[in-house]
Amino acid sequence: MSPWLLLVAKVVVAGVFVALLAHLSSALKPKMFAGLLSGAPSVATVSLLLTGLQKPREVPISGRGMILGAAGLVACCVAASLLVPKLHAMAATAVGWVSWGIVTFALFLLLPR
Amino acid sequence: MTLTQRLAAELRRERSQPVGIDTGKLAKPLLAHLGIRFVFGAGIALAAGLVAMRWGPLVGGLFLAFPAVLPAALTLLEREEGASKTDIDAMGAIMGALAMVVFAVLVAAGAPVLLAGLVWMVVAVALFYGLRVGIRRLL
């Protein structure tokens, strides 16, 4: 399979998986339990499974990068939960994305590779 | 009301609301909502894939944990149920994200992806019940 075809497969399958997971989350109650799925490794699971079919050696390396991204995700969720009562959800999420970027790339630059 | 007070109020409400699923809502997905969520998921997968192709799997891996589900979940929840539930949903996401760190550590150590996904589920649910029981005792 060509790298571009693999990318298209990842994009389509990840999009469908995220849509289904988010729909499941919207039907779960209580809301704090439903929120767990917002931190689920949905894109990661699909991407890593498909990468593993063609380049299995790259999967643990992606996992190492993902540890830093997941630390950024924790920061994003903390920022969003604190800001969402004060701002609209979209604005709080935008600040959360910035928090994700700062934490993830700071760790990436600071930690030895 | 502070976040702690809202959390306490939500946990008091949860005592009468066990974990469950609204099957009516599950059976009637709105295509527009599914479309928004698809775009977020597909967009992040595209970004992660392109970054990995250009800068390698380590940098691409960073984007595998990009907050893809959270924006659509919070925006749609705010529209449907008002702002009061969104911070509680985001608090749940913190526990999901903490469990994602465990998922990533396992994958980095060479564990099968599906096993790591299963461990994610167990850790996330354990954190949810742990917080629920812990805070209930403090209230």
Side-chain angles (χ1 to χ4, degrees):
Chain A
M1 193 188 285
S2 83
W4 289 105
L5 199 60
L6 184 69
L7 181 62
V8 170
K10 281 180 188 175
V11 168
V12 174
V13 180
V16 170
F17 192 51
V18 166
L20 292 177
L21 212 62
H23 177 60
L24 174 67
S25 168
S26 72
L28 285 173
K29 49 192 179 184
K31 282 298 152 204
M32 191 187 288
F33 186 75
L36 294 178
L37 291 183
S38 294
S42 43
V43 172
T45 303
V46 171
S47 292
L48 292 170
L49 280 174
L50 289 176
T51 301
L53 293 177
Q54 204 168 35
K55 299 172 184 169
R57 286 184 184 177
E58 286 192 0
V59 172
I61 303 170
S62 297
R64 277 169 48 208
M66 206 188 147
I67 296 171
L68 311 182
L73 182 64
V74 175
C76 167
C77 295
V78 170
S81 66
L82 291 172
L83 290 174
V84 85
K86 298 182 180 75
L87 306 170
H88 283 295
M90 216 45 227
T93 307
V95 176
W97 279 352
V98 173
S99 312
W100 177 86
I102 291 170
V103 172
T104 301
F105 287 101
L107 289 172
F108 183 72
L109 293 172
L110 293 174
L111 292 178
R113 288 190 282 278
Chain B
M1 199 188 277
T2 66
L3 185 65
T4 317
Q5 287 168 327
R6 273 197 305 279
L7 178 64
E10 176 69 14
L11 285 165
R12 276 190 212 103
R13 267 199 304 277
E14 279 187 7
R15 286 175 184 170
S16 58
Q17 191 182 20
V19 170
I21 190 158
D22 182 344
T23 48
K25 206 171 182 179
L26 189 69
K28 291 177 187 168
L30 290 171
L31 277 181
H33 289 186
L34 285 177
I36 292 169
R37 288 154 173 165
F38 175 87
V39 168
F40 273 107
I44 300 307
L46 178 64
L50 289 174
V51 168
M53 285 166 83
R54 175 69 181 82
W55 287 288
L58 184 67
V59 185
L62 302 175
F63 287 85
L64 293 180
F66 189 86
V69 180
L70 190 67
L74 292 186
T75 310
L76 297 175
L77 187 65
E78 185 181 62
R79 204 179 297 167
E80 286 173 5
E81 300 192 32
S84 63
K85 296 269 184 183
T86 47
D87 55 343
I88 298 298
D89 190 273
M91 289 211 65
I94 296 173
M95 289 177 270
L98 287 169
M100 195 196 273
V101 176
V102 178
F103 172 94
V105 168
L106 286 174
V107 171
V113 175
L114 287 178
L115 175 68
L118 194 67
V119 172
W120 173 86
M121 209 180 296
V122 171
V123 173
V125 171
L127 285 172
F128 168 78
Y129 279 107
L131 183 74
R132 199 176 189 184
V133 171
I135 290 188
R136 196 178 285 177
R137 282 184 185 165
L138 292 173
L139 293 176

